[in-house]
Amino acid sequence: MLENKGTTLICGGGIGGLTLALALAKWGRRSRILEARPEFSTVGAGIQLGPNATRLLDNLDVSAHLAATAVSPRSIHVRDAQSGRALADLPLGAWISGRHGAPYWVVHRAELQAALLATAQASPLIEICTDFRVEGIEEFSDKIVVTSASGATTEGLFLVGADGVWSRTRAHVFPDFELRYAGTTAARTIIPMADVPEDHRDIRTGVWLAPSAHIVNYPIRGGDALAVVVISAESEPESGWGVPWPSESVMARVSNFDGALQDLLRRGEGWQRWALFNPKPLRRWSRGRVVLLGDAAHPILPFLAQGGAMAIEDAVVLAWEVARGYGNHGHVFEAYEAQRCNRVAHIQKASRENGTAYHLTGLSASARNMALRSTPAHLLMQRYDWIYGWHHDMDYGEVEL
């Protein structure tokens, strides 16, 4: 069995880190979240959560906090961005919920963060330390000791790096990892629904395809706002999340798009963008007493809207293996990686392929559009059963609490 039932240290209090803490608590295991920021941020835009993620959030008692503001779009409406012509209307809503036993939700990222945090704060097994920027990591035969930038120390059984795409934890265990820029950036804004043109107020997710850029939009905040994302090719990446981007720069990327779509984008204010990355997948996510999850382990392009869902899946699987505790920490990490590395690599590959398909030109784009128009929508969506139908079979009664 695992060496002891000591505290799991979690670097990062984002979606993956909070989900891990909640899943560990579900099986009676203690954790300590080390969050670098002095307080939890409310910034961000929208996030899409497929049934593979929402069923896990429900199991962790998070859904009740989200139900009032989460939106369940009835479909994904795919259109040609230049002509505005409809290409497909892919079923979500009742269809996907009935097929996979859980809803497809779109929410504001801050609302998801708040729901996870509120659930975590109610657990006596979860300790949250803010303003703890991990600076030093020292491993011993029976524990790991982490030092903050201010000199504070804490120790635990092992350390989980859930600290995002620019992970400091990953730099400790895999210093040669190359965070390869994908050549594209994502710019986001949120538009109050009262300011959205009537034609764009449907409770649907919109996807607009074009060679130079593509656009995604969906309702959030209980339908009171519209999240809009513009993904375009850019030669130079920028560090950090939420770099301000002038509206004029956004409109310059879409100058040949459908007039009604341009009208929608003009309503956006306070645009922020960040670079997208497409690194070579890591073969291992752990070394010694340190293990990674979410974007720290596997940055994913957003063309399947699965980045947040993969962090949630990672967290639940890792928590389960920690709770079972078969063997030493190395065996636990190996069992976690065996279940996660291949699945995430397939998600990364499919996301890249979706991005290529979104930006096709000429005859290739025409063939894509014809296929979208002529194929029954439910058959197109069934291609993603392997994503949305994922389950992790866990028996809460099997673990010694």
Side-chain angles (χ1 to χ4, degrees):
M1 299 294 288
L2 204 59
E3 296 98 322
N4 60 63
K5 297 179 182 177
T7 299
T8 297
L9 303 181
I10 304 171
C11 179
I15 293 171
L18 286 167
T19 302
L20 174 62
L22 290 172
L24 286 167
K26 193 80 173 182
W27 291 296
R29 300 300 189 262
R30 295 186 176 277
S31 64
R32 183 174 300 120
I33 295 173
L34 310 176
E35 170 55 46
R37 294 168 295 183
E39 58 186 24
F40 285 87
S41 174
T42 60
V43 301
I47 183 170
Q48 302 186 61
L49 298 169
N52 52 316
T54 59
R55 71 169 55 90
L56 298 179
L57 294 177
D58 189 56
N59 290 340
L60 296 174
D61 304 319
V62 177
S63 295
H65 294 276
L66 284 174
T69 56
V71 178
S72 181
R74 60 186 177 87
S75 65
I76 302 173
H77 196 47
V78 185
R79 285 177 274 193
D80 182 281
Q82 294 173 323
S83 68
R85 184 179 180 182
L87 301 175
D89 200 47
L90 311 176
L92 293 176
W95 182 89
I96 200 167
S97 180
R99 187 170 183 83
H100 296 299
Y104 190 108
W105 276 353
V106 288
V107 301
H108 192 287
R109 184 175 290 269
E111 291 167 353
L112 175 57
Q113 173 95 3
L116 291 165
L117 182 60
T119 312
Q121 288 173 330
S123 172
L125 296 175
I126 300 172
E127 181 184 355
I128 300 174
C129 302
T130 55
D131 203 17
F132 194 110
R133 181 178 174 84
V134 172
E135 192 69 35
I137 300 172
E138 191 174 4
E139 299 184 44
F140 297 90
S141 61
D142 60 344
K143 64 182 178 181
I144 191 166
V145 177
V146 178
T147 305
S148 75
S150 64
T153 62
T154 186
E155 65 180 54
L157 184 58
F158 44 79
L159 174 68
V160 181
D163 47 345
V165 67
W166 291 284
S167 170
R168 295 172 65 83
T169 314
R170 184 184 61 227
H172 171 79
V173 291
F174 299 111
D176 296 331
F177 178 82
E178 180 185 0
L179 193 60
R180 185 173 59 193
Y181 177 52
T184 53
T185 63
R188 303 195 182 201
T189 189
I190 295 174
I191 307 174
M193 198 61 79
D195 296 338
V196 173
E198 191 70 32
D199 290 347
H200 298 284
R201 294 187 186 182
D202 282 351
I203 305 301
R204 296 191 289 188
T205 292
V207 178
W208 308 74
L209 309 181
S212 58
H214 80 272
I215 295 165
V216 178
N217 62 264
Y218 47 86
I220 56 172
R221 292 176 176 163
D224 290 340
L226 190 73
V228 182
V229 185
V230 176
I231 296 180
S232 59
E234 305 293 338
S235 58
E236 294 296 329
E238 296 150 320
S239 297
W241 293 98
V243 177
W245 208 32
S247 297
E248 296 79 10
S249 296
V250 176
M251 298 311 299
R253 273 49 174 195
V254 301
S255 59
N256 63 336
F257 282 12
D258 173 67
L261 176 56
Q262 290 193 55
D263 183 38
L264 170 66
L265 298 177
R266 288 191 190 96
R267 313 294 177 98
E269 297 180 352
W271 288 90
Q272 295 184 325
R273 69 170 179 169
W274 49 86
L276 303 179
F277 296 94
N278 182 29
K280 183 178 179 181
L282 287 167
R283 293 183 178 273
R284 293 288 308 275
W285 297 353
S286 64
R287 181 170 293 169
R289 290 183 176 270
V290 182
V291 64
L292 307 174
L293 66 74
D295 282 348
H298 48 71
I300 299 175
L301 294 169
F303 308 135
L304 277 176
Q306 281 291 307
M310 288 302 102
I312 291 168
E313 287 186 12
D314 287 350
V316 170
V317 173
L318 177 57
W320 171 244
E321 294 303 332
V322 171
R324 290 204 304 169
Y326 292 157
N328 59 28
H329 63 276
H331 294 119
V332 168
F333 296 165
E334 287 173 6
Y336 160 65
E337 291 166 341
Q339 295 171 74
R340 297 305 302 157
C341 288
N342 284 343
R343 174 165 169 79
V344 172
H346 279 92
I347 293 285
Q348 289 174 309
K349 181 175 183 291
S351 296
R352 288 193 298 271
E353 291 171 348
N354 253 21
T356 299
Y358 286 173
H359 300 150
L360 292 173
T361 62
L363 291 176
S364 296
S366 297
R368 174 203 63 201
N369 293 352
M370 182 179 296
L372 287 169
R373 288 194 298 266
S374 61
T375 306
H378 71 281
L379 294 181
L380 290 171
M381 282 303 292
Q382 286 176 21
R383 297 183 308 163
Y384 300 111
D385 281 353
W386 67 278
I387 298 176
Y388 300 132
W390 181 89
H391 285 76
H392 186 242
D393 295 325
M394 298 166 291
D395 179 357
Y396 293 111
E398 185 178 319
V399 176
E400 179 188 349
L401 299 179

